[in-house]
Amino acid sequence: MKVLSVLGGRPLYGQVQIHGAKNAVLPILAATVATKETCVIRGCPDIRDVDTALEILRYLGCGVDADGGVIAVNAAGLRRTEIPAGLMEKMRSSVLFLGALLAAEGEAVIYPPGGCVLGARPIDLHISGLRQLGASLLAQGDRLQFQAAKLAGGDVVLPYPSVGATENLLLAATAADDSVRIVGAAREPEISDLAGFLNACGADIRGAGTSVVTVYPAALHGADYRVMPDRMEAATYLSAVACAGGELTLRQMRPCHLQAVTERYEAAGCSIRSYDDALCIRAGGLHAVAPVITGPYPAFPTDAQATLMAALLKADGTTVMEETVFENRYRHVPQLRKLGADIELAGKIARIRGVRSLHGAAMEATDLRGGAAMLTAALGAEGESTLSHIYHMERGYDHMTQNLCRLGAKLELHGTDER
Ligand code: UD1
């Protein structure tokens, strides 16, 4: 079994370059099948979910050339429109090939997508939105076969601003006969990045980043595009320095995307200076903050809930959190309690009572961000902790352990992959 050992109590100092965003590069890689010309995507992170996206692209028949952080995709040879269950279940974003394949070929066969187990995570909003665009669904058990001889224009209304459903609709809408208005769209920066990529491919998408996005008909061609920086990777380094102490500069990032998160770290006692594309954080004596309620952008992101919780475990006072996005997103809590954390759970509410100190313990990563929270909490605990099931973190963090070691953390990897 692969295990990460963490010797806590060592402050972090130095600089980190933030990588391209996982949640932006995955929809963009799916989008490359919507044109038959070569797309070059720069700044791609070296993470398992990107490997899975490339595996899917190759399976479908696309030419893929990955060199460092630069990935070139050419979908001229696309010969399949069905993604096997084994590939679909490797990550959540496999579902985004649905909208892209419908745009490219007018048909797609998918199976339930995988990803972190944060709740039921249905895809009903994706399906009802695509139906509003004129796609039909023939379902046999888990095999979901979609067809759309033609995709129609008009309004598509999303009753909840689902990130994935908005992305699937944007992708499919690029092939519609007439303009499509997505009403109730998610406003996450990664939606704007997908629209930015599609526009670089010749699409005419306006309003991305607001709740009404309009896609006008246009032919797509190849493009050369750089993915936006990963705001959740940046949020994880904020947690690491808040837990461990020290001072970090995060480079190649956009602090404006992270305002709801940095505000909380500042309120907790960290000192933060933001620039256009960098951020400096110095850890302070931490205290509890006003209730943190997760929600769709620009509210506090659910993906930063676990890592902020880790940072508040030793804060002076009690912080209340309310998780409104996913119904099962406190799976890290029992693991954090092993370090001596005092967290009370009642449905959507978590009450974090700060303790004087945490001690090392053996923890199991439960999901991507939960695992990251365990790692950052362990950096602030006395003695040695171990973390298993770290494949969850390898799905979404590029060289996190190496970076933390460079900054002064004492981490060691033992054993081999358990999957
Ligand atoms: C994306 C992000 C994930 C982030 C989440 C919320 C990617 C690859 N993942 O996930 O990191 O935590 O946004 O910011 O970008 N829902 C339905 N029906 C649907 C779709 C969603 O009920 O058809 C529900 C979900 O179960 C969840 C909520 O809506 O409770 C939010 O989901 P959604 O915004 O779709 O998140 P994802 O796109 O899965």
Side-chain angles (χ1 to χ4, degrees):
M1 184 163 62
K2 200 165 169 181
V3 172
L4 181 66
S5 70
V6 184
L7 186 63
R10 296 166 64 102
L12 306 176
Y13 289 98
Q15 301 193 357
V16 184
Q17 310 275 343
I18 297 301
H19 296 93
K22 165 177 118 38
N23 289 353
V25 73
L26 297 172
I28 288 172
L29 286 172
T32 61
V33 309
T35 166
K36 301 286 181 242
E37 294 182 15
T38 300
C39 295
V40 177
I41 320 296
R42 298 179 191 275
C44 299
D46 180 9
I47 54 175
R48 288 258 171 103
D49 276 7
V50 165
D51 296 342
T52 301
L54 301 189
E55 215 182 320
I56 293 174
L57 286 166
R58 288 193 180 102
Y59 178 84
L60 294 174
C62 300
V64 174
D65 185 15
D67 183 12
V70 183
I71 296 175
V73 183
N74 186 298
L78 192 88
R79 59 177 189 280
R80 290 187 176 123
T81 53
E82 175 161 352
I83 304 174
L87 282 177
M88 285 295 303
E89 70 194 16
K90 283 191 171 185
M91 64 171 180
R92 176 76 183 170
S93 296
S94 53
V95 75
L96 301 175
F97 282 89
L98 169 56
L101 283 169
L102 280 175
E105 302 293 319
E107 59 178 39
V109 179
I110 61 161
Y111 296 81
C116 292
V117 182
L118 311 175
R121 303 190 86 174
I123 56 166
D124 56 315
L125 299 175
H126 302 235
I127 295 173
S128 64
L130 291 169
R131 277 189 160 141
Q132 290 175 62
L133 281 183
S136 53
L137 166 63
L138 310 165
Q140 282 177 344
D142 278 350
R143 188 174 188 274
L144 304 171
Q145 182 177 1
F146 291 82
Q147 267 170 352
K150 81 185 182 78
L151 290 157
D155 278 7
V156 181
V157 180
L158 280 173
Y160 179 88
S162 154
V163 174
T166 303
E167 290 166 346
N168 250 333
L169 287 169
L170 264 183
L171 289 164
T174 58
D177 287 353
D178 208 343
S179 55
V180 173
R181 227 165 52 120
I182 305 169
V183 180
R187 294 184 283 162
E188 270 68 4
E190 292 77 11
I191 303 282
S192 305
D193 212 38
L194 173 61
F197 168 71
L198 289 167
N199 283 344
C201 291
D204 185 359
I205 300 173
R206 301 179 205 177
T210 74
S211 50
V212 180
V213 184
T214 309
V215 184
Y216 295 93
L220 298 190
H221 50 68
D224 190 319
Y225 193 78
R226 177 168 289 277
V227 175
M228 64 174 269
D230 197 319
R231 61 197 172 103
M232 293 313 153
E233 184 190 24
T236 303
Y237 283 107
L238 297 185
S239 170
V241 76
C243 290
E247 188 165 358
L248 289 187
T249 300
L250 309 183
R251 296 208 174 276
Q252 281 176 10
M253 64 159 299
R254 290 189 207 146
C256 59
H257 291 159
L258 210 56
Q259 216 175 319
V261 177
T262 47
E263 274 171 5
R264 297 312 173 132
Y265 282 89
E266 276 186 306
C270 294
S271 135
I272 293 182
R273 269 174 298 141
S274 296
Y275 304 92
D276 278 355
D277 60 354
L279 181 156
C280 302
I281 175 168
R282 194 175 64 236
L286 295 174
H287 43 84
V289 295
V292 179
I293 303 170
T294 66
Y297 192 85
F300 190 90
T302 174
D303 283 354
Q305 174 252 104
T307 47
L308 178 63
M309 184 184 285
L312 294 169
L313 296 178
K314 289 195 294 175
D316 191 16
T318 300
T319 301
V320 175
M321 287 189 162
E322 183 177 355
E323 170 59 56
T324 74
V325 181
F326 290 105
E327 63 276 22
N328 191 14
R329 202 154 199 188
Y330 286 134
R331 295 173 71 221
H332 47 280
V333 168
Q335 302 297 320
L336 295 177
R337 284 186 185 134
K338 294 180 183 173
L339 299 172
D342 182 355
I343 308 164
E344 185 187 314
L345 284 187
K348 295 177 171 184
I349 307 290
R351 270 191 185 75
I352 303 119
R353 285 186 209 92
V355 293
R356 267 174 192 274
S357 64
L358 299 169
H359 50 78
M363 294 177 285
E364 261 177 33
T366 46
D367 57 272
L368 174 62
R369 308 298 170 191
M374 291 168 215
L375 169 54
T376 59
L379 293 172
E382 287 166 18
E384 188 178 276
S385 296
T386 56
L387 193 51
S388 59
H389 295 193
I390 57 171
Y391 53 82
H392 287 294
M393 287 132 80
E394 291 168 348
R395 282 193 31 233
Y397 288 104
D398 187 341
H399 289 88
M400 169 79 87
T401 51
Q402 292 90 331
N403 271 347
L404 288 170
C405 287
R406 215 173 25 75
L407 299 169
K410 186 135 177 40
L411 308 177
E412 267 175 44
L413 268 176
H414 307 276
T416 49
D417 220 331
E418 63 261 48
R419 290 174 320 145

